Amino acid sequence: MKKSLISLAFILTFIFCNGQNESNFVPIYEESKVPDFEIPDPLTSFSGKKIKNSRQWEKVRRPELLNFFTENVYGIVPGDLEISKWEVVEQSDKALNGKAQRKQVEVVFNQNGKTLSFNILMYIPQKAENVPLFLGYNFYGNHSVYNDENILISGAWGRNNETKGITDHRLTEKGRGVSRDSWQVERIIDAGYGLATIFHGEVDPDKEDFNDGIHPFFYKEGQQTPAINEWGTIAAWAWGLSRAMDYLEQDTDVDASKVIVFGHSRLGKTSLWAGVTDERFAGVISNNSGCGGAALSKRQFGETVGRINNAFPHWFADNFTKYNENEKALPVDQHELLALIAPRPVYVASAEEDLWADPRGEFLSAFYATPAYNLYGKEGIPSKDMPGINQPILNSVAYHTRPDGHGVTAYDWEQYIKWANRNFLKKEVYEPKTHVSIEGEKFLINGEPTFKGREWKGSEVEGLLPNSRMVQGVFDDLNPETVAKWKYPDTRKWDAERNTNEFIKAMPEWRNHGLLAFTINFQGGSPEGYSKSQPWENNAFEPDGTLRSAYADRMERIVKKADDLGMVVILGIFYFGQDERLQDENAVIAAVDNTVDWIQNNGFTNVIIEVANESDNRGYQQDIITKERIHELILHIKKKAPELLVSTSFNGGSIPPEKVVEVSDYVLIHGNGVHEPARITEMVETVRSLPSYRPMPIVFNEDDHFDFDKPVNNFVNATKAYASWGYFDFRMKDEGFDEGYQSVPVNWEISSERKEGFFDKVKEIFID
């Protein structure tokens, strides 16, 4: 306990009750059990005065609210302490494969014979100046945020966690990179932001012991614990963030006017308090901060004031215990904590399954904080109706809730970056225009069937998705021994950016002819058309399944252009001959997850997934991609992102297995090797006769048969059987640059007789 005078009997009683409360505490997880309570009006002072403008807010209401939270919740900081010195102890301009500068800065404090230091790990975009920056604490050491062997390992005390590499309260090499998914360092750098992070245990260890960390630096003679209105650990951590800000103001690589303070869970409570007490922070992010953070205390949903004070008695001022099981007596609530940040932007994020943190309570807190922002003409949460999953509100008061539980995900960071772009860099936020969906056997775009009401020669074509195989749109070859094979005839060298730029330039003409979709792959198909071996590396994934940013950037430009044109992207993930470049099955699953995250994080609604091209091909080395197990990956995606439409394809002429059809949203088949158009009709009929088939679209997205000038061909028969058909064209023997869409380098224009034949047929069936 923090009180200096306390009887042994009370100590024993507290220990007993603490254990009893933790073991017997039953949280409220049902809205019907939330007690009745009144929301304190942020715009009415304690004396009853109505606050009508920002001047009154700053002169009357803000000071009294800040004083209450300081004295009764987080605690007073009992003095001032400036940085004694700081030193850059390590740096490199070749971090993150050359895209960033890494800097490790030791910040030192001396007072009364005591010394404390903490290390700030920083990543800054290469060759950038005055960058905006995210600043936040990490849980498991700076070395945990990224798998970088140069990051120093802290010697500070850590809470034991074997899976995070903390044993006997010591951080170890085992923890290197264990939190990389929660920090998304490359994504932050690619967006043009810097990142600074500190191990929270260096400022104040997360334990009920006030004889280490920063607290003893401020004790009066004989004092061993903070007074009842003085700071707990959360306020100490907030103090540390302000001292980091003192350093950042001296760092010429950083735009100190655009430092956004971030925190998750208990560190999200910290970021909020830091943002309230230090107005130098330009914005504040609270991720799953829950009780004592963004969630309304009076709801008593999930974790409560009593539960948090019993479990973590060192976090808050002792005065806060007056409200244990007594939240109704609080004259304030956490929405007023958020209001104290106004007019600076604040982002509150929740997770659907994180009931302990009370997602609805966090949302309502953001909603009820909005009137304070309105005083400054700022937009907040417009309605008390909670938005759906993955439907962020990116105003000055921002909010989202995502699927899954307590943690920080790539989706969270994508929203934070979009919000920061809008609020600090004044960048436009991408809003998708094209939403693809399925209703029975029909494809819909923006809620309407494709080619609504259209027939062709007595056959219905409404709801079909004419497509072409354009898999090399993001092609590159990472093998220096083979890359010269793909040189352009005019420049005599390969250029991945030129390839994508010319792809995008050609897309409007495809769309004008009626093409509504194209297949494009992260692991591209053979750049020779058909190949026995694939020594080249056309692969968007690192061996561990991480999505390579250069591929992702090129794909993003293509998908956005497709969205603008009203086109659907059939996004392929794996291709035989390239899948073995992933180190193991876990890497395959990681590649799938990273692809899904990439789609969701970008907000794309015009993408449907082909997990693998021809998963029954014997060239696949990863067992989970093969015919017998590919359905597992489809189910994995459906569980992770149920809104995505998913399927996988099989060799030309093959019928998908029952277990694949059963779990797919649409059926993908290939016409390669099918020389008789009647077989195309038969394949469609066979699929529809499968016991596992239910009304869903059937799509050929690869067929290398043409004869478009003949009355009967594969395209025509697929259309008459009410199946979408896809064109596959490669450069044949002795043909030149203008031929084919599969062979690299590609002329993406409608530049050959075969291409003209296909596009003219599309136009005839769907447009003319």
Side-chain angles (χ1 to χ4, degrees), residues 680-699:
I680 294 292
T681 306
E682 181 182 309
M683 289 175 67
V684 175
E685 292 172 347
T686 301
V687 169
R688 290 200 176 106
S689 69
L690 294 173
S692 59
Y693 177 80
R694 62 198 183 282
M696 69 177 94
I698 298 173
V699 180

Side-chain angles (χ1 to χ4, degrees), residues 345-356:
V346 61
Y347 200 132
V348 176
S350 306
E352 181 182 24
E353 297 174 15
D354 188 14
L355 298 182
W356 185 250

Side-chain angles (χ1 to χ4, degrees), residues 62 238-239 241-243 245-246 249 261 272-282 284 344:
R62 190 181 193 278
W239 174 91
L241 290 171
S242 288
R243 303 293 72 76
M245 186 65 177
D246 292 343
E249 287 186 315
V261 64
L272 288 171
W273 188 236
V276 166
T277 56
D278 191 337
E279 296 182 82
R280 292 177 298 172
F281 291 118
V284 183
R344 292 164 295 137

Side-chain angles (χ1 to χ4, degrees), residues 313-327:
H314 57 292
W315 282 1
F316 299 94
D318 269 2
N319 273 341
F320 197 33
T321 61
K322 293 183 294 186
Y323 302 101
N324 288 0
E325 288 77 50
N326 189 31
E327 287 90 347

Side-chain angles (χ1 to χ4, degrees), residues 122-281:
M122 299 176 63
Y123 285 103
I124 301 292
Q126 190 65 272
K127 298 180 180 179
E129 296 180 355
N130 294 320
V131 298
L133 179 135
F134 294 100
L135 166 68
Y137 284 116
N138 61 76
F139 283 95
Y140 308 113
N142 291 353
H143 69 302
S144 70
V145 306
Y146 194 74
N147 191 13
D148 182 341
E149 64 182 6
N150 296 289
I151 302 174
L152 304 174
I153 298 178
S154 174
W157 185 94
R159 191 176 291 271
N160 283 340
N161 188 322
E162 291 286 341
T163 61
K164 302 298 185 182
I166 305 178
T167 305
D168 296 328
H169 302 295
R170 309 303 295 178
L171 282 60
T172 69
E173 182 65 33
K174 182 181 177 182
R176 193 173 297 280
V178 294
S179 299
R180 60 188 178 275
D181 290 343
S182 296
W183 284 93
Q184 298 290 309
V185 177
E186 291 200 44
R187 183 185 300 273
I188 292 168
I189 295 299
D190 289 343
Y193 292 85
L195 173 66
T197 185
I198 305 161
F199 175 49
H200 70 303
E202 292 188 336
V203 175
D204 201 46
D206 189 9
K207 58 180 177 176
E208 191 186 356
D209 179 355
F210 289 94
N211 292 312
D212 53 11
I214 193 60
H215 287 93
F217 283 63
F218 295 89
Y219 288 157
K220 299 174 183 177
E221 185 175 352
Q223 186 178 6
Q224 294 184 358
T225 58
I228 62 172
N229 68 338
E230 289 183 345
W231 55 344
T233 293
I234 286 174
W237 288 333
W239 174 91
L241 290 171
S242 288
R243 303 293 72 76
M245 186 65 177
D246 292 343
Y247 162 74
L248 293 173
E249 287 186 315
Q250 303 176 59
D251 192 322
T252 56
D253 290 331
V254 176
D255 183 346
S257 71
K258 293 185 174 67
V259 174
I260 304 161
V261 64
F262 160 85
H264 166 64
S265 193
R266 65 197 64 180
L267 302 178
K269 310 178 205 301
T270 301
S271 67
L272 288 171
W273 188 236
V276 166
T277 56
D278 191 337
E279 296 182 82
R280 292 177 298 172
F281 291 118

